[in-house]
Amino acid sequence: MSDINWDKVPRKGGVYCMYDLDGNPVYVGYASESRSRHLVARLREHFTQQNSSAVAHGRIDLLDVWYVEIWVTSEWELAEDQLIAIKDPVFNRGEPVPEAEPIDIQSPDLTLSICDDEERETRLKPPNRIRSKMDHIQQMVDSDQIALDALTQGEKKRIESAQNAAKYHLSILESAIESHYTVSE
């Protein structure tokens, strides 16, 4: 991953939307205004510590994240519902009905690059994407098996979430394989 410029990210509450290498929204999250849960801390959980549930359970493939849009707001819960309803990210399920629209979705306060254009192009090359997706899917399967073995409640929701994540990653893998092995006429 490129060096992420954490100094640009405000130490405030807000919401964020991660986009994959194809520019599709994959995950919306929020951060409160507390010292340990502000935007920098929350995003670092994903990208450096990798201990957020979305990453730890293998839903988000960090090598498939291109950039993150960030909005600063004290109404992060409402803004999260608004973003999920409009962006329809792959890894946020449910159908939130926003009570308000506290942010201008068309104008994020900051766009944080996770990889530059050159690195993105390298990651998008079919052999690299195939290898990356296959590795990620294996890690996800291993993580899910450990988690499912340990669960006693909520198993159905966990299985549905794992199935949705697997379908998403497999669709990218299938597209990369098709692109790689298609002969130009």
Side-chain angles (χ1 to χ4, degrees):
M1 253 183 275
S2 298
D3 290 331
I4 299 172
N5 187 350
W6 295 112
D7 294 336
K8 291 173 47 176
V9 181
R11 295 180 184 279
K12 296 181 177 184
V15 292
Y16 53 92
C17 183
M18 294 181 194
Y19 293 83
D20 68 12
L21 295 172
D22 298 312
N24 299 313
V26 293
Y27 183 73
V28 166
Y30 73 90
S32 68
E33 295 173 336
S34 73
R35 282 186 59 203
S36 63
R37 300 295 294 173
H38 54 66
L39 285 163
V40 174
R42 186 72 177 114
L43 288 167
R44 277 190 169 163
E45 277 184 6
H46 293 306
F47 291 100
T48 59
Q49 298 166 351
Q50 300 179 12
N51 63 355
S52 68
S53 62
V55 174
H57 295 299
R59 302 301 180 257
I60 298 173
D61 177 358
L62 294 178
L63 291 176
D64 203 42
V65 177
W66 179 16
Y67 64 95
V68 180
E69 290 181 331
I70 299 168
W71 293 263
V72 176
T73 179
S74 60
E75 298 180 73
W76 57 86
E77 290 168 322
L78 294 173
E80 181 186 38
D81 284 347
Q82 177 190 3
L83 272 176
I84 292 171
I86 292 171
K87 298 282 186 179
D88 191 26
V90 174
F91 298 119
N92 294 89
R93 294 294 171 213
E95 297 181 22
V97 180
E99 298 173 20
E101 295 185 0
I103 59 172
D104 178 1
I105 288 186
Q106 302 304 316
S107 301
D109 295 313
L110 171 68
T111 299
L112 183 65
S113 291
I114 304 305
C115 67
D116 61 27
D117 290 340
E118 184 179 338
E119 185 174 347
R120 176 178 173 256
E121 290 302 317
T122 299
R123 291 180 187 184
L124 280 170
K125 289 181 181 175
N128 296 338
R129 204 144 197 218
I130 291 167
R131 186 173 24 264
S132 175
K133 280 297 160 203
M134 290 179 75
D135 288 347
H136 183 77
I137 290 167
Q138 182 61 52
Q139 291 169 3
M140 190 178 76
V141 168
D142 292 345
S143 169
D144 280 333
Q145 189 57 52
I146 292 166
L148 286 172
D149 289 347
L151 282 176
T152 57
Q153 295 179 348
E155 188 171 315
K156 184 177 180 191
K157 184 176 180 181
R158 175 83 176 137
I159 290 171
E160 288 174 1
S161 177
Q163 288 171 336
N164 289 333
K167 286 176 188 174
Y168 165 76
H169 293 296
L170 286 170
S171 72
I172 291 174
L173 175 61
E174 184 178 87
S175 177
I177 289 171
E178 185 176 305
S179 175
H180 183 62
Y181 291 105
T182 300
V183 179
S184 300
E185 294 183 28

